[in-house]
């Protein structure tokens, strides 16, 4: 049951497990400017916009599903990070696991990861970062045991033009007014290499999809950990996995994009079984009918 109070949308009580309250599916909350969003034992306060300027300023189903799935497989992810760090054998071995989110929107994915100890660079266009992403990061800072940093990252900008030293933008060459409502000099940066790359609800445009794939491939390559010994033939290099959640509204575009990821960028593709995602949602307290999220797919891309 939905209860509305002072323009906030409240969660419904879960019937499936009773352990956690159930969030509402994104399509039931589009008209609410403020969400009280339950995520396991946390409750995020999330600002969103529905003014028609951008699709990225609202909550989407893919992010809801992916955030819970990543929480469910966290121990497996951390095991992989530990293996990477062992091979890496540098001073980064002791730092917290580090992730980057592409197309963060209102920031649910980044906040969810950060709440379990990850350092996360949350990225999107300048408008989205300033209007919803950075405000949500600031509002929910106390719920994070890791760090979250919001920056602009425009997929259409070629990677050779990226700048990691700009405190507000990876892809803007000019210095901009600070996005982050903190002291940019004092705040430690969250830069490559990354242990994990995530993105949700970001395959929606035939023009932008190739740019997204190029961005994912570049981030994977600059986060590569070489084999433990260059003298060992066939030694394994480690690349961070890319977890991509898709609400498949355009099957032709999705199929074309995934094929391009495999054929042109060399990604290996694995789809997470629907039954596994379903079990994760139930464990996380989500009480939705199957048809409410049946179009959501989670894919793992790895170089």
């Amino acid at each position: 049951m939905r209860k509305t109070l002072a323009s906030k949308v409240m969660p419904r009580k879960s019937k499936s497990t009773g352990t956690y309250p159930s969030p509402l599916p994104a399509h039931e909350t589009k008209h609410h400017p403020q969400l009280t969003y339950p995520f396991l034992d946390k409750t995020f306060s999330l600002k969103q916009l529905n003014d028609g300027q951008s699709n990225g300023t609202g909550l989407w189903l893919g992010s809801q599903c992916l955030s819970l799935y990543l929480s469910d497989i966290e121990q497996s992810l951390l095991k992989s990070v530990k293996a990477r760090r062992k091979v890496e054998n540098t001073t980064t071995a002791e730092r917290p696991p580090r992730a980057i989110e592409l197309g963060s929107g209102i920031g649910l994915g980044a906040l969810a990861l950060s709440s379990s100890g990850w350092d996360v660079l949350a990225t999107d266009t300048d408008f989205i970062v300033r209007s919803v992403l950075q405000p949500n990061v600031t509002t929910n800072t106390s719920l994070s045991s890791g760090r979250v940093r919001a920056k602009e990252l425009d997929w259409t900008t070629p990677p050779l033009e990226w700048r990691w030293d700009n405190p507000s933008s990876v892809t803007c060459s000019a210095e901009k007014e600070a996005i982050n409502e903190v002291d940019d000099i004092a705040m430690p940066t969250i830069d490559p290499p990354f242990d994990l790359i995530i993105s949700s609800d970001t395959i929606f445009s035939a023009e932008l999809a190739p740019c997204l794939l190029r961005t994912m491939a570049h981030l994977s390559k600059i986060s590569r950990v070489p084999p433990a010994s260059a003298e060992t033939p066939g030694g394994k290099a480690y690349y961070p996995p890319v977890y991509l959640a898709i609400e498949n509204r355009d099957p032709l575009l999705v199929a074309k994009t995934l094929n391009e990821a495999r054929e042109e960028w060399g990604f290996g593709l694995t789809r997470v079984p629907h039954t596994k995602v379903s079990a994760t949602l139930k464990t996380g307290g989500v009480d939705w009918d199957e048809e409410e999220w049946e179009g959501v797919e989670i894919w793992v891309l790895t170089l």
Side-chain angles (χ1 to χ4, degrees):
M1 178 181 291
R2 184 175 65 203
K3 297 181 181 179
T4 305
L5 179 64
S7 78
K8 290 187 179 182
V9 58
M10 307 299 288
R12 29 161 113 133
K13 184 176 180 181
S14 175
K15 302 173 188 174
S16 56
T17 66
T19 305
Y20 303 112
S22 175
L24 291 169
H27 51 266
E28 291 190 22
T29 68
K30 295 295 184 185
H31 57 295
H32 291 277
Q34 194 73 30
L35 305 178
T36 299
Y37 191 90
F39 180 78
L40 302 179
D41 60 344
K42 304 287 193 303
T43 301
F44 298 126
S45 178
L46 300 175
K47 173 186 177 182
Q48 63 173 3
L49 300 177
N50 188 26
D51 55 10
Q53 292 192 58
S54 171
N55 289 332
T57 55
L59 180 67
W60 292 93
L61 279 172
S63 180
Q64 292 183 281
C65 294
L66 182 60
S67 57
L68 281 171
Y69 181 71
L70 292 176
S71 177
D72 191 51
I73 64 168
E74 182 183 10
Q75 291 307 310
S76 175
L77 292 174
L78 293 176
K79 184 177 180 181
S80 296
V81 171
K82 185 176 180 180
R84 281 170 52 87
R85 300 287 173 80
K86 185 176 180 180
V87 173
E88 204 170 10
N89 193 26
T90 67
T91 55
T92 61
E94 300 302 321
R95 65 169 169 76
R98 182 176 295 182
I100 183 169
E101 182 173 31
L102 303 174
S104 293
I106 66 173
L108 174 59
L111 291 169
L113 270 180
S114 179
S115 71
S116 60
W118 288 70
D119 286 349
V120 187
L121 180 60
T123 68
D124 216 307
T125 64
D126 181 69
F127 171 74
I128 293 173
V129 172
R130 292 178 182 274
S131 60
V132 291
L133 179 55
Q134 181 56 51
N136 287 339
V137 168
T138 301
T139 298
N140 296 280
T141 297
S142 63
L143 298 175
S144 297
S145 53
R147 297 180 296 129
V148 187
R149 184 78 160 162
K151 278 189 179 185
E152 175 191 21
L153 198 164
D154 183 347
W155 310 333
T156 64
T157 301
L160 289 178
E161 299 177 16
W162 293 8
R163 285 184 52 188
W164 295 101
D165 60 343
N166 187 324
S168 298
S169 175
V170 177
T171 51
C172 179
S173 58
E175 292 296 333
K176 305 176 70 171
E177 179 184 353
I179 289 175
N180 302 279
E181 299 175 12
V182 295
D183 184 345
D184 280 314
I185 297 176
M187 179 77 167
T189 60
I190 301 175
D191 297 332
F194 297 104
D195 302 301
L196 177 66
I197 302 166
I198 66 172
S199 190
S200 302
D201 309 293
T202 45
I203 298 181
F204 56 86
S205 163
E207 292 73 30
L208 288 178
C211 300
L212 173 63
L213 293 177
R214 178 181 64 183
T215 299
M216 290 175 171
H218 181 73
L219 289 169
S220 295
K221 290 173 182 176
I222 63 176
S223 299
R224 173 182 178 269
V225 175
S229 173
E231 300 175 357
T232 303
K236 180 181 179 182
Y238 287 81
Y239 291 91
V242 181
Y243 280 80
L244 174 64
I246 302 166
E247 191 173 352
N248 200 340
R249 303 183 199 85
D250 188 338
L252 291 178
L253 175 61
V254 169
K256 181 176 183 294
T257 302
L258 293 176
N259 184 66
E260 184 178 335
R262 180 177 55 249
E263 299 298 328
E264 296 189 25
W265 294 102
F267 280 108
L269 304 177
T270 304
R271 182 179 173 183
V272 177
H274 185 83
T275 53
K276 194 169 184 179
V277 180
S278 179
T280 294
L281 296 184
K282 290 178 180 177
T283 300
V286 170
D287 185 32
W288 302 342
D289 293 333
E290 186 78 13
E291 60 268 20
E292 292 188 286
W293 66 277
E294 63 182 354
V296 175
E297 303 173 5
I298 297 179
W299 289 83
V300 187
L301 288 67
T302 310
L303 287 179

